[in-house]
Amino acid sequence: MAAGLQVFGQPASTDVARVLTCLFEKNLEFELVRTDTFKKSHKLPEFIKLRDPTGQATFKHGDKTIVDSRAICRYLCTQFPDDGYKKLYGTGSLERASIEQWLQAEAQSFDAPSSELVFHLAFAPHLKDVRPDEARVAENEKKLHNMLAVYDDILSKNEYLAGDDFTLADLSHLPNSHYIVNSSDRGRKLFTARKHVARWYDKISTRESWRQVIKMQREHPGTFE
């Protein structure tokens, strides 16, 4: 039973957005406890260390507490396999193994350069006395460009990253990708310049679950309200 699911954080957080999308895909009832971890008094190094402007997601279910957003999504899929969208974590061992490979790739290779771009392209322009670091932008832009070239090749053969069904492999990429695409023309081109990546992003970003998260982010803008 899905009673007692709590998420602590802000919808604007990439980690929280990842968890919220999963909850909506699984059609689970939950309580969002909004917290503010970013304050103007924070020093910049500490701010960057958070990887996103509003901190991690904290999830509670009974006496279970999880703070890693990807681990939370895995937990929700394994704990509530028959709720909502049932293909999110695969329906067999081979599918799940493929999804896990992509989750690791996203966490280990996609997250770092995309998080840097989220900060420098989407958030730094809104912060006083903080200028986007052009050298770091260019460096991470190149890393993401090269990675998306690999994605484009995979997506020329598959509808989604782990096959022909939308899964956690795709969902996990949504929060950072959304901020980059909507930050500037420069960020948008990283995803629209490649035919198959553009088609993939358009499909995953128009899912109803993600639309609900975007609505929550607009209602609770968080850092810059």
Side-chain angles (χ1 to χ4, degrees):
M1 189 172 177
L5 301 182
Q6 291 181 303
V7 180
F8 296 81
Q10 292 195 56
S13 162
T14 53
D15 279 334
V16 175
R18 184 177 289 113
V19 173
L20 293 178
T21 308
C22 185
L23 284 161
F24 286 132
E25 286 286 346
K26 298 300 292 178
N27 196 28
L28 296 170
E29 292 187 6
F30 64 93
E31 177 189 7
L32 175 65
V33 181
R34 188 166 175 262
T35 59
D36 297 293
T37 57
F38 175 73
K39 304 294 182 184
K40 291 181 179 179
S41 60
H42 279 200
K43 294 180 180 179
L44 187 59
E46 183 179 354
F47 175 61
I48 293 176
K49 189 177 180 182
L50 294 174
R51 298 296 289 278
D52 66 72
T54 47
Q56 291 182 319
T58 297
F59 170 82
K60 290 189 177 183
H61 180 213
D63 59 0
K64 185 88 170 177
T65 300
I66 311 173
V67 295
D68 177 81
S69 62
R70 297 166 189 84
I72 296 168
C73 291
R74 291 184 182 98
Y75 175 84
L76 291 170
C77 290
T78 54
Q79 193 76 8
F80 308 104
D82 299 323
D83 290 88
Y85 181 60
K86 298 175 177 63
K87 297 180 179 180
L88 204 55
Y89 201 28
T91 55
S93 57
L94 288 177
E95 289 177 323
R96 186 160 295 185
S98 178
I99 293 167
E100 275 298 333
Q101 286 184 328
W102 279 105
L103 283 173
Q104 290 176 28
E106 184 273 326
Q108 297 171 9
S109 302
F110 180 89
D111 184 66
S114 63
S115 292
E116 286 277 351
L117 292 178
V118 167
F119 173 73
H120 288 288
L121 296 181
F123 290 98
H126 298 276
L127 298 172
K128 291 181 180 179
D129 304 320
V130 178
R131 286 190 174 187
D133 186 325
E134 181 56 38
R136 292 182 74 169
V137 171
E139 177 188 354
N140 287 286
E141 200 172 40
K142 182 178 180 180
K143 289 179 181 177
L144 198 59
H145 182 273
N146 292 340
M147 195 162 187
L148 290 175
V150 176
Y151 281 37
D152 200 64
D153 183 56
I154 297 293
L155 291 166
S156 70
K157 306 178 184 74
N158 298 335
E159 194 73 11
Y160 297 96
L161 291 175
D164 291 325
D165 294 313
F166 175 82
T167 69
L168 285 182
D170 311 288
L171 183 155
S172 197
H173 287 80
L174 265 170
N176 279 6
S177 299
H178 168 79
Y179 275 127
I180 294 170
V181 167
N182 289 279
S183 67
S184 61
D185 287 339
R186 182 176 184 175
R188 188 176 302 110
K189 286 177 182 177
L190 282 167
F191 288 83
T192 60
R194 299 186 184 279
K195 176 183 176 182
H196 304 293
V197 168
R199 184 262 308 160
W200 167 72
Y201 177 75
D202 185 62
K203 289 196 74 168
I204 67 175
S205 64
T206 53
R207 289 184 72 85
E208 182 57 30
S209 60
W210 184 247
R211 289 182 186 274
Q212 289 179 271
V213 173
I214 297 302
K215 182 181 178 182
M216 292 181 75
Q217 290 179 338
R218 288 172 179 163
E219 291 171 350
H220 301 283
T223 303
F224 305 116
E225 63 184 348

